[in-house]
Amino acid sequence: MDIKLPDIPRYYTALAETLACIMMIEQLPRKQIKSKRWLCYLAFFLGQMALQYLAGQFSLAFWLLGMLANLAWMGLMINTLEQTSNDIKLYHLSRAFITAEFMAALAWQVYCLGIQFVDQRYSKAFELMTMIVIYALIIAVLHYSPKTSPNNYSLLHISHKSALNSLLIMAMVFSVSNIGFLFSRGNFYAGNGFTIFTVRTFVDLCGLLLFSLQENQRYEHYLQRDLANINNMFNTQYEQYQAFRESNEIVNQRFHDLKHQLDIIALESSSDKRNEYIKHLQDDIKQFKADVKTGNPIVDVVLTRKNAYCIKHGITLTCIANGRLLDQIDTMDLCSLLGNSLDNAIEAVSKLDAPEKRLIDLRITQKGNLVVYNIRNYTGDPPKLENGSLPKSTKKDSSRPHGYGLRSIEQIAERYNATMNLTSKDNWFSLTVMFVR
């Protein structure tokens, strides 16, 4: 049976193009979408309808020009409503265009096949409702299908090269999917209408799969790079702990030597030399007064070293900690937890000019069956915390959404079924991790 499929009505194409743009825009975080967007969606849809109507009034020779005009209108919609980079907008436009082509082709093909098989004619209202339902099902499948990249990382981190690749994919898919319609009007036989529509739908689906493959590769590259950085940080923290332990042993040895030096001072008859020895001992003792005892040797070593750094740089570190409460945590995880949280606090207070404001408070306590690890630091410029998100890194590499230090602490909390909470109030930034004991 020769199944004949009429051309897709242009208002359905306009609807598909608008819905595809909306789907791409709505996947963004709200702060990257301009306000009053729903009125803009309606205005751009009406504009898309008008462009499609005007394009339908011209001859076939101007068909490509009409498609470019509609593509430009989609680009204007995305550019107006998205607060993202030009590369991200270009990528979203390319994907939205192929998505619209696929939606329109598949929905119209399904509708026409159903009508021809039952051999009935329906009203325009029934046709419109059927197309809207099919569009909704396609959007639901595309939008709510399982995603490998949380927080839409692959849609928000687009390099210039990826944007240009997406533009090339869009041009190739569109050309191949529509070449059958051009041949069908010439001497070259490209099959009946059903075959041409099927090829178009299949090629558009392949285009969407190419975009998905590109996103998955981009996200996997991000995961590999992120994992490598975190592993390097873990190794660095562990090496730092080893250095802390060695330094602590030196300190203990130094205090052991002081006992013999005190015996020499006691036997010295010259008061001048005795005073000189005493002054020398006072200077030595001043360097090692940072010793911290919590009951956990790992916590003791890390806190002692960090406290010594704070004393040297005019930072007041207050510590009320029962280190035994953290005995169940792995050595490397404990080093990362202490090292990263203290490094972040020290870095924050080091920016303050007034020494009396360089304050850090660390507490390791137990409340019921919970072990509470809390570290607070005074800050002159409190970081903005939105929806529980991690604050942006203050490092020179501002492209990262936040520092790897907090990322590693967050992963440690997840590994031990703990909860991590960040608060910023009255110029105090607080990090709390609660472990179940």
Side-chain angles (χ1 to χ4, degrees), residues 332-347:
M332 291 186 65
D333 290 339
L334 186 54
C335 290
S336 294
L337 173 64
L338 292 165
N340 286 319
S341 59
L342 285 166
D343 285 344
N344 288 341
I346 291 172
E347 180 183 5

Side-chain angles (χ1 to χ4, degrees), residues 58 122 158 164 169 193 203 233 293 316 347 393 400 420:
F58 296 105
Y122 293 98
I158 312 296
L164 294 179
I169 291 174
V203 172
M233 177 168 290
K293 296 294 183 181
T316 301
E347 180 183 5
S393 173
R400 296 185 301 184
M420 171 179 160

Side-chain angles (χ1 to χ4, degrees), residues 131-291:
M131 290 294 290
I132 290 176
V133 170
I134 297 174
Y135 277 1
L137 291 175
I138 295 174
I139 290 175
V141 171
L142 293 177
H143 183 69
Y144 294 104
S145 59
K147 294 180 174 62
T148 58
S149 52
N151 302 321
N152 292 323
Y153 172 88
S154 298
L155 296 176
L156 294 172
H157 294 76
I158 312 296
S159 65
H160 186 62
K161 182 179 179 181
S162 295
L164 294 179
N165 287 340
S166 68
L167 187 63
L168 179 61
I169 291 174
M170 178 192 70
M172 292 176 59
V173 171
F174 176 74
S175 300
V176 175
S177 64
N178 287 275
I179 196 169
F181 293 97
L182 297 178
F183 286 155
S184 65
R185 291 171 172 82
N187 297 324
F188 183 81
Y189 180 71
N192 57 28
F194 177 75
T195 302
I196 294 174
F197 258 96
T198 302
V199 170
R200 176 185 179 182
T201 305
F202 179 75
V203 172
D204 289 336
L205 176 60
C206 290
L208 291 180
L209 293 177
L210 284 175
F211 279 110
S212 296
L213 180 62
Q214 189 182 32
E215 290 176 3
N216 289 340
Q217 288 178 339
R218 186 160 53 246
Y219 184 62
E220 287 177 4
H221 176 71
Y222 158 76
L223 286 179
Q224 291 173 357
R225 183 183 60 188
D226 201 34
L227 182 61
N229 285 326
I230 291 177
N231 284 335
N232 288 336
M233 177 168 290
F234 283 159
N235 291 332
T236 300
Q237 291 291 341
Y238 185 70
E239 291 172 359
Q240 188 178 34
Y241 160 69
Q242 296 285 13
F244 289 170
R245 187 180 64 179
E246 294 172 1
S247 177
N248 205 29
E249 292 175 354
I250 294 174
V251 170
N252 292 333
Q253 181 63 41
R254 185 59 175 161
F255 274 107
H256 179 73
D257 294 340
L258 286 176
K259 298 178 182 179
H260 302 288
Q261 293 175 357
L262 288 173
D263 293 336
I264 296 176
I265 293 175
L267 297 175
E268 180 60 53
S269 59
S270 172
S271 60
D272 292 337
K273 288 186 178 182
R274 189 165 51 248
N275 291 335
E276 184 180 349
Y277 288 151
I278 293 173
K279 186 178 182 302
H280 181 69
L281 285 178
Q282 288 174 340
D283 293 338
D284 283 348
I285 293 173
K286 190 175 181 180
Q287 294 179 18
F288 300 111
K289 70 177 181 179
D291 187 42

Side-chain angles (χ1 to χ4, degrees), residues 301-321:
V301 168
V302 176
L303 290 183
T304 297
R305 186 61 176 263
K306 296 298 182 181
N307 192 33
Y309 179 91
C310 290
I311 293 172
K312 183 177 180 181
H313 293 83
I315 299 172
T316 301
L317 172 61
T318 304
C319 181
I320 301 176

Side-chain angles (χ1 to χ4, degrees), residues 47-83:
Q48 201 81 45
M49 290 273 288
L51 279 175
Q52 286 287 354
Y53 174 78
L54 291 175
Q57 304 305 308
F58 296 105
S59 62
L60 183 62
F62 295 96
W63 170 77
L64 182 58
L65 184 61
M67 292 301 301
L68 291 176
N70 279 277
L71 179 63
W73 187 258
M74 292 175 67
L76 180 62
M77 178 179 178
I78 290 176
N79 184 65
T80 301
L81 294 172
E82 285 191 12
Q83 295 179 323

